[in-house]
Amino acid sequence: MPAHRDRTAAIFGAVISPGSRYVALGSSFAAGSGVKPRLDKASGRSQRNYAHLVAEALELDLVDVTYSGATTANVLSESQNDAPPQLGAIGPETELVTVTIGGNDLDYIGTFIRGSLMNTLARPVGLIAKRLGNRIRARVSYLKDQSEYDAAADSLTEIATQIRKSAPRSRILLVDYLTLVGPGTRPRLDVPLNEEQLPSVVMMAEGLAAAFAKAAERTDAELITASSASLDHAVGSPEPWTTGFRFVPFGGVPYHPNEAGMRAVADLIVNHLRANP
């Protein structure tokens, strides 16, 4: 086990016993957008997101303030629609906090969806006018500057720091993002990116995972690496933990955790807590 987790258990290691207050923070990858049954339309929160599954398994008192589309600013200081900053749910009695946020700061999923949409539109156009098809594809940039990943790491660090101030004895789990593009992912109908674009999506995912790792190391928060655990469960794998792209109205939420993915993340968290009481 990494040394920073040992220190967390020694210094802040609240025992997560039945009835403990558990607060879940994050964006759609935590809220469970598209996973039924839905609890709230505005937030996209699912009754079967990983927070609810963890709370059910460990008999915890859950406060779920995850919200689809949230950025780190919506956790720290900015309201989202009618929802106040998510950190407001943290108090001295909080014993467990999970955090999955940062992807929207980088427009990670948004870029993937727009690229897939543009490629899907460009395919029939390109059969008639190749140059126009290429122009449509080129409207999406997959490149991010390192400063953007550094900013995400800084924001995650600030979130963990503020949680610690509000709930000094809480267990803080930074839960990174499930993998969308794995080693075996190839261009296909539900991943309509080409061989040049797919590696750029992988680079974004790796940059986001590195931001979580940096924040965990800086703050002694505990790191749940859903990204590495799901490498063999990307879109196109025999047992995917995320959805692919669908170019149809009401076709679900593309490139987000499915029910199996939510269960897998919940299992990672529960197993981690049971192994590190």
Side-chain angles (χ1 to χ4, degrees), residues 120-256:
T120 301
L121 293 173
R123 185 175 294 113
V125 172
L127 294 176
I128 302 170
K130 184 176 180 180
R131 182 174 296 179
L132 179 56
N134 289 338
R135 285 181 180 177
I136 293 174
R137 292 186 183 93
R139 292 177 66 88
V140 178
S141 173
Y142 300 88
L143 299 178
K144 302 293 179 184
D145 189 83
Q146 181 58 44
S147 63
E148 297 179 76
Y149 297 113
D150 292 341
D154 291 343
S155 294
L156 286 164
T157 299
E158 181 63 17
I159 288 170
T161 300
Q162 292 303 320
I163 293 171
R164 183 68 70 217
K165 288 181 179 179
S166 297
R169 292 192 54 79
S170 63
R171 297 278 297 271
I172 304 171
L173 273 57
L174 299 183
V175 185
D176 71 7
Y177 284 61
L178 287 168
T179 292
L180 292 163
V181 177
T185 304
R186 298 290 182 268
R188 43 185 279 161
L189 287 177
D190 57 354
V191 191
L193 271 65
N194 60 39
E195 295 284 3
E196 295 178 354
Q197 295 165 331
L198 284 172
S200 298
V201 176
V202 173
M203 288 177 61
M204 292 176 65
E206 290 175 345
L208 183 56
F212 273 81
K214 286 180 182 178
E217 185 64 34
R218 292 170 179 172
T219 62
D220 284 334
E222 299 167 75
L223 181 62
I224 304 296
T225 53
S227 56
S228 60
S230 56
L231 281 173
D232 293 331
H233 297 277
V235 181
S237 68
E239 297 180 355
W241 289 350
T242 54
T243 58
F245 180 78
R246 294 182 182 180
F247 187 55
V248 293
F250 312 110
V253 182
Y255 302 135
H256 274 72

Side-chain angles (χ1 to χ4, degrees), residues 24 26-35 37-47 49 52 64-70 80-84 86 104 253 256:
S27 59
S28 56
F29 263 56
S33 300
V35 177
R38 185 169 58 183
L39 282 174
D40 178 75
K41 183 176 180 180
S43 68
R45 232 171 268 140
S46 168
Q47 190 175 333
N49 65 19
H52 280 80
D64 184 1
V65 293
T66 58
Y67 207 107
S68 297
Q80 186 178 6
N81 298 328
D82 293 328
Q86 295 181 25
N104 290 322
V253 182
H256 274 72

Side-chain angles (χ1 to χ4, degrees), residues 67 70-71 73-86:
Y67 207 107
T71 65
N74 297 129
V75 174
L76 287 165
S77 59
E78 295 182 8
S79 298
Q80 186 178 6
N81 298 328
D82 293 328
Q86 295 181 25

Side-chain angles (χ1 to χ4, degrees), residues 110-126:
T111 299
F112 201 1
I113 291 174
R114 284 195 303 279
S116 298
L117 177 61
M118 292 297 102
N119 281 9
T120 301
L121 293 173
R123 185 175 294 113
V125 172

